[in-house]
């Protein structure tokens, strides 16, 4: 395809047929999108291009191979082939499309040698996170931007999508499958409209990934359910928890995401993982401990006496492979919405203790003292305990199980804007993307994975700061940070990201 920006034209044919209605998690995500409470999510990876595909003379071949690999994935993952019917209604449905116009979904960008790749990547990510997905009924909610420096062997592939289609782990699945596809030996057999830019889609009824409650039961205890529904819906006058983020009130407009990112080299990451194991926790727990200390140092007691952090949890681990009702389903390889959230609360006495050491040692913007490091590991261990308990409990009394009680998600999310922000930060990591080729006999000039980054647009009713770590096997750790531009001064968000980077370097030295 020509080097061009995404066009505004619709796919060339009308939708084929309505499919199933959106599940609870899908409908929740769609309501946020249509109310402009959320815009997009992305996973971008940097690939090393094989030597024979470098240079201007090989550009057409490079583009053909990459686009063929992308088409293969679109045809493998049915959730990438559908639009959304009546998106602003109380009962939206997936709709099957006849074709996809790649000119609306794939864009190549080439930068000159004077431009720093990291700067171009960061700017691209920020722009894409806030760029809406037009014509939801006639176009699937995803796009791919390919960034290459003219004289470089590096190609960054940014997969950006609308969350109703799939969750963060799905972005990891996409990039993992793309890596395999690029190293496939039979990409040349894929046509499916690459010459015209129009993918003709299957006409048989699609097997969409089913909602989680269609796969397994989500048991709920009555007392827990009533308490949870009350907490999620109680009037603002009753919202006076010390854990809610009153310091970052919900503001629906203007909507703009501030995005920052930093990387830690593999040597530092390896030492951090050793330290986490020694302190009976994980990298996720450590990020919570560091976020707690950073915000405690930057907000006073009147602004925040306690804190609540959130961890996203992938529910695929609880789903059976090839269940009788969906014998084709492989949860670990499926793009869909199978995610939940877990809260962690840090009480006022702990926060007060942290602040007392910070005042004495003036740890803000400096190295961490031994006392503060001890409190960080204590908080991190607590988080690990919360996660272990969740993994042992499984899907019993999970917030996803209560989504079925909501009949109108747009109405629900409008009401959410009238209550306090529930949490100060969220850690939503995708772990490590395996960069080892499936076929060990691949030649030295095969495609290689060098870097992965997970990024989220702001969510106006969710945690104030989104922290999104992701790494590639034997490569650096990339940490993204997102927040809504208008809810606090950008220097606060930048300060938190600076703290995380500096303290992770210290702990991994």
């Amino acid at each position: 395809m020509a080097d061009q920006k995404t066009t505004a034209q619709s796919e060339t044919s009308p939708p084929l047929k309505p499919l199933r209605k959106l599940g609870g998690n899908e409908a929740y995500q769609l309501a946020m999108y249509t109310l402009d409470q959320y815009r997009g999510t992305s996973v971008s990876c940097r690939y090393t291009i094989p030597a024979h595909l470098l240079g201007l003379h090989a550009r057409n071949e490079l583009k053909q191979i990459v686009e063929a690999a992308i088409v293969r994935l679109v045809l493998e993952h049915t959730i990438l082939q559908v639009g959304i019917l009546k998106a602003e209604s109380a009962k939206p449905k997936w709709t099957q499309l006849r074709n996809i116009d790649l000119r609306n979904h794939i864009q190549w960008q080439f930068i000159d040698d004077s431009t720093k790749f990291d700067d171009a990547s960061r700017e691209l990510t920020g722009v894409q996170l806030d760029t809406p997905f037009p014509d939801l009924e006639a176009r699937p909610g995803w796009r791919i931007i390919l960034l290459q420096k003219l004289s470089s062997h590096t190609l960054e592939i940014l997969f950006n999508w609308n969350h109703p289609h799939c969750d963060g782990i799905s972005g990891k699945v996409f990039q993992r499958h793309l890596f395999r596809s690029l190293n496939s030996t039979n990409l040349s057999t894929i046509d499916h409209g690459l010459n015209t830019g129009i993918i003709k889609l299957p006409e048989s009824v699609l097997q969409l990934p089913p909602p989680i409650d269609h796969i397994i039961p989500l048991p709920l205890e009555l007392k827990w359910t009533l308490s949870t529904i009350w907490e999620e819906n109680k009037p603002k006058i009753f919202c006076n928890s010390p854990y809610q983020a009153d310091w970052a009130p919900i503001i629906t407009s203007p909507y703009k995401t501030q995005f920052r990112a930093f990387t830690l080299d593999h040597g530092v990451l390896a030492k951090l993982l050793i330290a986490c194991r020694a302190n009976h926790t994980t990298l996720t727990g450590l990020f919570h401990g560091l976020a707690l200390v950073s915000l405690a140092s930057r907000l006073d007691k009147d602004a925040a006496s306690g804190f609540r952090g959130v961890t996203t949890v992938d529910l695929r681990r609880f789903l059976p492979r090839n269940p009788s009702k969906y014998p084709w389903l492989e949860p670990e390889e499926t793009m869909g919405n199978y995610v939940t959230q877990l809260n962690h609360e840090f009480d006022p006495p702990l926060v007060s203790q942290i602040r007392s050491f910070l005042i004495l040692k003036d740890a803000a913007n400096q190295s961490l003292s031994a006392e503060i490091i001890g409190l960080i590991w204590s908080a991190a261990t607590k988080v690990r305990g919360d996660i272990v308990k969740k993994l042992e409990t499984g899907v019993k009394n999970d917030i996803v199980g209560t989504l079925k009680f909501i009949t109108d998600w747009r109405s629900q999310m409008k009401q959410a804007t009238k209550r306090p922000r529930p949490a100060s930060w969220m850690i939503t990591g995708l772990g490590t993307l395996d960069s080892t080729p499936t076929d060990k006999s691949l030649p030295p000039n095969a495609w290689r994975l060098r870097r992965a980054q997970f990024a989220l647009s702001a969510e106006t009713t969710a945690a104030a700061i989104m922290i999104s770590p992701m790494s590639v096997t034997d490569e650096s750790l990339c940490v993204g940070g997102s927040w809504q531009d208008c809810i606090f001064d950008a220097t606060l968000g930048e300060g938190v990201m600076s703290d995380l980077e500096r303290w992770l370097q210290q702990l991994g030295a």
Side-chain angles (χ1 to χ4, degrees), residues 166-177:
C166 49
D167 56 18
I169 289 294
S170 300
K172 183 179 181 181
V173 170
F174 180 91
Q175 294 282 5
R176 184 171 69 239
H177 288 191

Side-chain angles (χ1 to χ4, degrees), residues 291-312:
L292 169 64
V293 170
S294 178
L295 283 175
S297 72
R298 296 177 178 277
L299 301 170
D300 61 26
K301 180 180 178 181
D302 291 337
S305 60
F307 290 100
R308 179 182 290 120
V310 180
T311 300
T312 56

